[in-house]
Amino acid sequence: MASSISSSPLSMLSATLSAVADRLEAQPVGGYGISDVIAAEPVAWAAMALAGTGRDAAARTAAEWLAKAQQSDGSVGVTAEEQRPAWTTAPAVLAWLAVDPSGYADRIDRAFAWALEQKPWTAPRTRIFGHDTELAGWSWAADTHSWLEPTAFFVKAFVAAGRTEPPRVQEAIRLLVDRLLPRGGANYGNTVVLGQELLQHVQSSGIVAWVLADTPSANHLTATLDYLEAAIEEPTGVASLAYAALGLSAAGRFSERLAEALIAAAPRVETCAGSYKPALYASACQAVLRAEANHS
């Protein structure tokens, strides 16, 4: 259950968010590291974080970079020079929806059309794997097996746009539920291999919670949310913590402890090169603050 966050952690979290957003606004669109090639995923998260904090001009600059990177078939490659793989089409759509859904409507439509045409590799079920290998979601690269994280990003984009009616999207939601581990949480895409249940990962668990919380399948998340609440008590990376915060907030499990964990991570965010982790962290801070505001 959600619990109110007292004014002091809220004020500190708000100030931390403002400082990180100022940094994102001041730097050019970038990559995962400070000198890395510009990449679609960091740019998309920067656009979302900047739009969410009212830094509209900088958010538009990031969204326009993604627009220029979009290919004629509607996909967005991992960089402007690398058209494939194109799983980054989903974060690009989320960025356009955050910045200007009507202004980027044509680009969003073309991206969704491309996504619905993708046919990942599937196979008959086998006792070797615990997950349903016949379900089709989305993959990291074309013509390969569906994995949890790319599937989650595409589902999130379709849900955010209010386009959940395609059977392809409904099947992908079933895939996400199927990939939850028996004890809660998620691995990168497998559940049980040769009779051995795989380890939970904070990032994957946070991502699937962030996505499924906005679907009718949210009732499957109880054990995953319990795992995430315990996970934030242990040392974890900035990206993993951010995704845990996104998932917990989306499901109404925000808390003062979650706000404190994000505040404690702020010094590490200051040392992160590039825009990916700071933007993801800023989005997580926004999610907690927004959840608390809605709760109040």
Side-chain angles (χ1 to χ4, degrees):
M1 296 291 293
S3 61
S4 295
I5 304 174
S6 59
S7 59
S8 179
L10 280 177
S11 297
M12 293 176 65
L13 189 62
S14 181
T16 298
L17 169 60
S18 181
V20 175
D22 285 345
R23 171 183 164 186
L24 287 170
E25 185 179 29
Q27 68 187 47
V29 291
Y32 293 96
I34 198 66
S35 60
D36 288 352
V37 65
I38 299 174
E41 185 183 23
V43 173
W45 276 108
M48 287 184 267
L50 291 162
T53 54
R55 290 158 172 79
D56 297 338
R60 175 75 65 169
T61 296
E64 281 298 303
W65 185 94
L66 294 166
K68 291 176 182 177
Q70 188 175 34
Q71 306 301 315
S72 59
D73 64 0
S75 65
V76 178
V78 290
T79 71
E81 293 75 29
E82 296 175 274
Q83 299 178 15
R84 296 292 183 268
W87 63 270
T88 35
T89 304
V93 169
L94 289 169
W96 292 327
L97 288 169
V99 174
D100 186 359
S102 59
Y104 291 103
D106 178 64
R107 295 191 177 278
I108 292 168
D109 288 343
R110 291 195 290 119
F112 280 146
W114 175 84
L116 291 173
E117 291 174 354
Q118 302 310 299
K119 306 296 182 186
W121 173 84
T122 58
R125 294 208 68 169
T126 170
R127 294 175 62 185
I128 295 175
F129 298 109
H131 68 273
D132 188 346
T133 53
E134 295 179 343
L135 290 173
W138 280 272
S139 53
W140 293 115
D143 302 318
T144 59
H145 192 53
S146 301
W147 289 95
L148 183 141
E149 292 186 20
T151 297
F153 283 119
F154 277 104
V155 169
K156 186 70 174 180
F158 278 102
V159 169
R163 303 190 192 189
T164 59
E165 68 282 353
R168 184 90 164 73
V169 178
Q170 292 300 314
E171 182 174 357
I173 292 172
R174 294 198 302 274
L175 182 150
L176 293 178
V177 174
D178 180 72
R179 299 295 178 91
L180 293 173
L181 293 167
R183 67 182 184 280
N187 193 273
Y188 287 106
N190 290 325
T191 54
V192 177
V193 178
L194 297 174
Q196 179 66 50
E197 184 175 344
L198 301 186
L199 295 175
Q200 300 154 308
H201 292 288
V202 178
Q203 176 166 316
S204 301
S205 302
I207 289 173
V208 75
W210 173 55
V211 176
L212 287 181
D214 291 330
T215 75
S217 296
N219 59 307
H220 293 281
L221 287 174
T222 301
T224 297
L225 297 171
D226 291 344
Y227 161 70
L228 288 171
E229 286 186 329
I232 64 170
E233 299 293 337
E234 303 294 333
T236 190
V238 168
S240 292
L241 175 62
Y243 276 120
L246 287 168
L248 289 166
S249 298
R253 290 278 196 104
F254 60 93
S255 64
E256 189 155 312
R257 179 65 194 99
L258 179 57
E260 290 170 349
L262 287 167
I263 293 165
R268 288 187 286 138
V269 177
E270 292 178 3
T271 67
C272 291
S275 57
Y276 172 63
K277 290 181 180 179
L280 186 56
Y281 174 84
S283 295
C285 293
Q286 289 175 50
V288 173
L289 291 167
R290 185 167 54 248
E292 170 64 25
N294 291 339
H295 176 67
S296 301

